Amino acid sequence: MRISLFLIVFISLYSGLHYYLYLKAIGALALDASGKAALGAFFVLMVLTPILVRLAEHNGLDPLARLLGFGGYSWMGFAFLFFSLALIFDLYRLIIWLSSFWFDLSALIISPRTRFFLPGIAALVIAVFGFFSAQNVRLETLTIATEKLPAQVNRLRLAFISDVHLGLMVSQERLARILAVVNQASPDMLISLGDLVDGQLNHVEDSMELLAKQDFPMGKYAILGNHEYFVGLSHSMALIRQAGFTLLRDEITSVAGGLILVGVDDPVGRRLELASPLDEASLLMPLPRDQFILLLKHQPYVNDKSRGLFDLQISGHTHGGQIFPFYLLTRLFFTYARGLSDLGGASSVYVSRGSGTWGPPIRFLTPPEVTVIDLVRPKP
């Protein structure tokens, strides 16, 4: 029911965006009735493409699904960029119109064709740049000095991947690039922060085999994201474990080097009644405070009752907005949308921009990342 409601809301908003694009296009182009009908049919197809992709995947029509997916999701990114840029021109037009009651600003009026083509060309350039930006995974490093490491340990290096979204749009080839960045850092441990898989799970078997070959001295750990629930919990869990990850579901584990990992399920699982209720503070309360406590949560919500009961929470989910200015919208829902923030009470939160993409294969001003955190002993 909730997923259906999400689909209804998404289709409604996406349809509204395309109606805006349609009005812009017919205002700028000299189209006859057949041209307007063809343009309208194309926009209807683009609105329905996400559904058609899932249907094609479900029926085993992989070539068609990939064609529709790449075309439809690339268009989605372009359409959002065009919409954002065109709104700026509309705001300019409104300012000119309001000012015209007092001043003659006719020389500053921009024609409908210019208001259509300028944001269209800019959106296309940004989309192309964003496509290549999405392939260029960056290594983000963070060093935390802590006295909670054992005397014999001078440094623990932890690597985190998040929101890879392996499936139709993110292939084994992209995963190989992500893992190349991971291995470049030579971490002691690899942790997946959720949304490792997406879409039809029969597309990710080869990727799981590639992950299974990755070996790290202190092992591999993972938590669930919302998409693991959406695409099928049991199969997702089996694939994650097949890839060699120890899955933490509202569980605590101590690892060598004086580190405590606390992995909690995504709240979507509780809303779908596929995960047990959780009192996060009660889970954290008994833990020894002389060891470094790392709280793993897919969505970057901070439980006020948990502040001071952990050292660092690390999360993903937001993609850092993925395509600016979508980041401004993520800030409406998440207080902590990307980067490191001090929570007070000796607790901090770090939100990863994510390693892959969801929907449009585009990133703009929010490049994908592999996060490496070094826990080191303080300098004397």
Side-chain angles (χ1 to χ4, degrees):
M1 176 66 73
R2 291 181 176 89
I3 297 177
S4 298
L5 179 60
F6 169 80
L7 185 61
I8 292 171
V9 172
F10 170 78
I11 292 297
S12 299
L13 292 175
Y14 201 36
S15 298
L17 184 149
H18 278 80
Y19 182 64
Y20 175 84
L21 264 64
Y22 178 78
L23 294 178
K24 285 289 182 183
I26 63 175
L29 306 174
L31 299 176
D32 57 16
S34 60
K36 293 178 181 179
L39 182 64
F42 172 76
F43 283 167
V44 169
L45 175 62
M46 290 300 99
V47 169
L48 296 177
T49 291
I51 299 174
L52 297 176
V53 169
R54 294 305 185 196
L55 290 175
E57 280 188 292
H58 184 71
N59 289 281
L61 303 174
D62 288 357
L64 177 61
R66 291 185 187 280
L67 178 64
L68 288 172
F70 183 79
Y73 289 125
S74 296
W75 169 263
M76 181 185 292
F78 168 81
F80 174 73
L81 287 165
F82 177 89
F83 173 76
S84 303
L85 293 166
L87 281 180
I88 297 174
F89 281 84
D90 283 347
L91 178 61
Y92 171 83
R93 181 190 179 198
L94 177 62
I95 293 173
I96 294 298
W97 179 76
L98 291 174
S99 301
S100 66
F101 288 99
W102 296 276
F103 310 101
D104 180 11
L105 300 177
S106 56
L108 299 179
I109 295 175
I110 300 176
S111 70
R113 287 179 62 84
T114 301
R115 295 199 307 270
F116 176 76
F117 282 106
L118 274 184
I121 293 170
L124 180 60
V125 171
I126 293 173
V128 172
F129 170 83
F131 174 80
F132 290 102
S133 177
Q135 318 299 314
N136 185 22
V137 183
R138 296 188 182 182
L139 182 65
E140 296 289 347
T141 58
L142 176 67
T143 300
I144 298 177
T146 175
E147 297 178 349
K148 297 182 178 183
L149 296 179
Q152 70 276 15
V153 177
N154 292 319
R155 187 196 75 176
L156 290 178
R157 172 161 285 188
L158 314 175
F160 300 85
I161 58 175
S162 179
D163 302 278
V164 180
H165 291 281
L166 290 168
L168 186 70
M169 298 298 293
V170 180
S171 64
Q172 182 184 8
E173 180 182 353
R174 180 97 67 91
L175 175 63
R177 287 198 291 270
I178 294 170
L179 292 175
V181 176
V182 170
N183 290 317
Q184 174 189 341
S186 299
D188 299 304
M189 179 190 301
L190 177 65
I191 298 173
S192 170
L193 295 169
D195 283 6
L196 181 63
V197 296
D198 199 359
Q200 288 293 112
L201 297 181
N202 55 353
H203 290 137
V204 303
E205 293 285 353
D206 291 343
S207 295
M208 294 300 110
E209 292 178 8
L210 179 59
L211 278 166
K213 295 176 182 177
Q214 308 300 310
D215 190 29
F216 302 92
M218 294 171 60
K220 296 181 291 191
Y221 294 85
I223 58 173
L224 297 174
N226 52 308
H227 279 261
E228 273 83 16
Y229 286 100
F230 293 156
V231 303
L233 179 60
S234 297
H235 196 179
S236 295
M237 290 171 55
L239 286 169
I240 291 170
R241 288 172 173 145
Q242 174 188 327
F245 287 95
T246 298
L247 188 59
L248 300 177
R249 301 193 63 197
D250 301 338
E251 294 174 291
I252 301 166
T253 187
S254 296
V255 296
L259 179 65
I260 296 177
L261 300 181
V262 182
V264 299
D265 269 5
D266 188 82
V268 164
R270 304 184 212 288
R271 291 199 292 269
L272 296 177
E273 299 181 351
L274 296 174
S276 302
L278 173 69
D279 185 340
E280 184 181 296
S282 297
L283 183 68
L284 294 168
M285 190 75 71
L287 299 180
R289 297 298 301 138
D290 61 344
Q291 291 180 269
F292 194 92
I293 299 171
L294 185 62
L295 178 59
L296 309 174
K297 296 173 68 173
H298 177 65
Q299 297 192 38
Y301 293 115
V302 174
N303 188 324
D304 288 337
K305 295 181 180 178
S306 298
R307 294 174 190 258
L309 299 179
F310 61 89
D311 293 283
L312 177 66
Q313 173 182 321
I314 184 162
S315 302
H317 184 65
T318 67
H319 295 217
Q322 186 164 320
I323 302 175
F324 187 85
F326 199 74
Y327 170 73
L328 301 177
L329 296 181
T330 65
R331 289 302 305 269
L332 296 177
F333 298 95
F334 299 98
T335 303
Y336 310 100
R338 67 185 181 197
L340 181 68
S341 301
D342 183 8
L343 301 175
S347 295
S348 301
V349 59
Y350 183 87
V351 184
S352 167
R353 298 188 303 267
S355 309
T357 54
W358 179 81
I362 294 168
R363 279 181 173 267
F364 179 56
L365 301 183
T366 53
E369 72 172 81
V370 167
T371 312
V372 168
I373 297 179
D374 283 332
L375 301 181
V376 301
R377 297 183 62 79
K379 294 181 179 180

